[in-house]
C-alpha cells in the first residue's frame, strides 16, 4: 500500500468556523485522517487587509505542508477569496477551497439564474464568488451582501435569537428584493444559522452550504486521483489552534457537532 494515502487532509480557517467543514468531511469521508489549524489568536480575518490575510495564509500553508497532508482544504471563505491562487502556487498537493465548492453548487442549483451571496466584508469586496460563478455561467446574476454581525452572533450562540432574526431580516432585505432563487452561505459561520435564514427567506429559496458542497468535492477528488485512505479503521483527528480563548471548547464543539478531544496550541509565528 502507498503509505502517503494514510496522510491526513489538512483543513484551515481563521478560527473555529472551519470546523463546520471538518464536520461535513467527517460525515462524508469517515475513514480520512484530518489535521485542522484554526488561527484563533488572530481571528477575525473578515475585516483585515488582503496583504495581512495573504501573509497569514502562507504561514499556515507551510505549517500544514510540514504535517505531510495529502490534500489542503481552505475552509475559510475570506482566505479563499483573497489568497487561493497564492496557496495553490505554493502547494505541491491539491488545494480545494470553499468558494469554488459553493460557487459550483450555486451555479448547478439556480433555475432563474439569480443568485445571492452573503459573507464577511472582505469576501464580498473581493468579488470572488461572483467571478467564480460567472466563470461557470456568465448569464447568472450575482447579488452580494456583507453580514459582519453574523460572526459574533453565531459565536455568542444566538442561533435562534430575536436579535439575530432582526439583524438577518435587515441584511437580507436588499437581496430578497432582487428575487433570487439561491442563497450562498459564503462564510464558515453561516451554516449554523441555516434554519433561521431559511425561515426568513422562505422554503422555496435554495440555501447553498459551502461546507457540505466542499465535502462532496473532496470525496470526488480523492476518488478520482486515487488518494482515498484504503484503511477502514477509526481515523485520527488533530486540532491545532494558535490560542485557546475564553469559552473555546463550548463554541468549537457547537461548530463540530461533537466533543473535541486533544486540542494542541501552537505558537505564532508558525514554524
Ligand atoms: N472564517 C471566516 C470566513 O469564512 C469568518 C470569520 C473571520 O472573519 O475570520 O469568512
Amino acid at each position: 500500500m502507498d503509505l502517503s494515502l494514510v496522510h491526513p487532509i489538512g483543513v484551515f480557517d481563521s478560527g473555529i468556523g472551519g470546523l463546520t467543514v471538518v464536520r461535513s468531511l467527517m460525515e462524508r469521508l469517515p475513514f480520512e485522517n484530518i489535521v485542522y489549524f484554526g488561527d484563533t489568536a488572530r481571528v477575525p480575518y473578515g475585516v483585515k487587509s488582503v496583504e495581512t490575510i495573504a501573509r497569514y495564509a502562507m504561514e499556515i500553508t507551510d505549517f500544514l505542508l510540514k504535517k505531510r497532508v495529502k490534500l489542503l482544504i481552505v475552509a475559510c471563505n475570506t482566505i479563499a477569496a483573497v489568497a487561493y491562487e497564492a496557496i495553490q502556487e505554493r502547494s505541491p498537493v491539491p488545494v480545494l477551497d470553499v468558494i469554488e465548492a459553493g460557487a459550483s453548487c450555486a451555479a448547478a442549483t439556480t433555475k432563474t439564474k439569480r443568485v445571492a451571496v452573503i459573507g464577511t466584508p472582505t469576501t464580498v469586496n473581493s468579488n470572488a464568488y461572483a467571478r467564480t460563478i460567472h466563470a461557470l455561467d456568465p448569464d447568472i446574476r450575482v447579488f452580494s451582501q456583507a453580514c459582519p454581525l453574523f460572526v459574533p452572533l453565531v459565536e455568542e450562540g444566538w442561533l435562534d435569537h430575536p436579535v439575530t432574526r432582526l439583524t438577518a431580516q435587515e441584511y437580507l432585505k436588499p437581496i430578497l428584493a432582487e428575487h433570487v432563487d439561491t442563497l450562498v452561505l459564503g462564510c464558515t459561520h453561516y451554516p449554523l444559522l441555516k434554519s433561521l435564514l431559511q425561515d426568513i427567506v422562505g422554503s422555496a429559496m435554495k440555501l447553498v452550504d459551502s461546507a457540505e458542497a466542499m465535502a462532496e468535492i473532496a470525496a470526488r477528488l480523492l476518488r478520482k486521483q486515487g488518494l482515498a485512505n484504503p484503511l477502514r479503521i477509526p481515523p485520527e483527528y488533530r486540532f491545532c489552534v494558535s490560542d485557546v480563548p475564553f469559552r473555546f471548547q463550548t463554541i468549537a464543539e457547537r461548530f463540530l457537532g461533537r466533543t473535541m478531544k486533544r486540542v494542541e496550541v501552537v505558537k505564532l509565528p508558525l514554524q
Side-chain angles (χ1 to χ4, degrees):
M1 184 189 84
D2 177 356
L3 282 180
S4 68
L5 298 180
V6 302
H7 287 176
I9 298 175
V11 183
F12 67 102
D13 178 49
S14 57
I16 46 181
L19 293 171
T20 51
V21 174
V22 174
R23 179 186 193 155
S24 296
L25 288 170
M26 285 169 158
E27 281 162 18
R28 183 64 185 80
L29 296 164
F31 300 111
E32 294 298 335
N33 297 306
I34 296 174
V35 52
Y36 179 81
F37 178 80
D39 201 356
T40 41
R42 299 188 290 206
V43 70
Y45 280 19
V47 287
K48 289 188 169 66
S49 70
V50 171
E51 292 71 29
T52 301
I53 298 166
R55 183 156 45 84
Y56 293 169
M58 289 304 109
E59 232 182 78
I60 303 168
T61 300
D62 290 346
F63 172 82
L64 287 174
L65 288 174
K66 280 191 208 140
K67 302 258 177 275
R68 302 170 70 195
V69 295
K70 62 179 177 183
L71 163 68
L72 260 182
I73 294 185
V74 187
C76 178
N77 290 260
T78 305
I79 299 177
V82 303
Y84 175 68
E85 282 82 14
I87 297 165
Q88 209 180 23
E89 261 171 42
R90 200 166 185 107
S91 173
V93 300
V95 183
L96 291 175
D97 77 295
V98 272
I99 292 191
E100 185 73 42
S104 50
C105 184
T109 303
T110 182
K111 299 268 185 294
T112 60
K113 295 195 186 282
R114 294 175 82 81
V115 171
V117 178
I118 51 175
T120 65
T122 305
T123 299
V124 167
N125 287 339
S126 74
N127 226 18
Y129 268 104
R131 259 185 286 122
T132 314
I133 292 173
H134 285 152
L136 295 164
D137 183 345
D139 293 334
I140 297 178
R141 301 229 19 217
V142 182
F143 305 90
S144 308
Q145 175 68 48
C147 305
L149 293 174
F150 280 174
V151 167
L153 286 168
V154 169
E155 299 219 343
E156 195 54 44
W158 289 9
L159 307 182
D160 188 20
H161 188 284
V163 170
T164 314
R165 188 169 287 271
L166 216 60
T167 309
Q169 277 162 347
E170 207 53 39
Y171 279 146
L172 296 176
K173 217 182 277 169
I175 44 180
L176 285 178
E178 299 295 348
H179 303 293
V180 297
D181 71 344
T182 305
L183 174 65
V184 181
L185 310 181
C187 174
T188 47
H189 287 56
Y190 301 176
L192 278 86
L193 295 176
K194 226 195 251 175
S195 61
L196 180 136
L197 295 173
Q198 189 80 68
D199 208 36
I200 293 173
V201 299
S203 55
M205 178 93 73
K206 294 273 182 293
L207 299 195
V208 171
D209 178 340
S210 302
E212 276 173 13
M214 169 52 81
E216 214 34 66
I217 288 177
R220 214 178 305 148
L221 181 134
L222 293 184
R223 200 176 47 239
K224 255 178 120 180
Q225 301 204 4
L227 287 174
N229 186 352
L231 298 182
R232 291 292 175 261
I233 54 171
E236 188 186 324
Y237 300 130
R238 282 182 71 184
F239 299 100
C240 306
V241 292
S242 49
D243 191 21
V244 177
F246 183 56
R247 294 201 303 133
F248 171 81
Q249 197 78 20
T250 317
I251 303 172
E253 290 181 354
R254 188 180 299 139
F255 280 86
L256 195 61
R258 60 174 89 183
T259 53
M260 193 165 138
K261 283 170 256 155
R262 281 208 311 127
V263 177
E264 300 167 43
V265 183
V266 285
K267 280 216 169 66
L268 293 173
L270 296 169
Q271 301 296 326

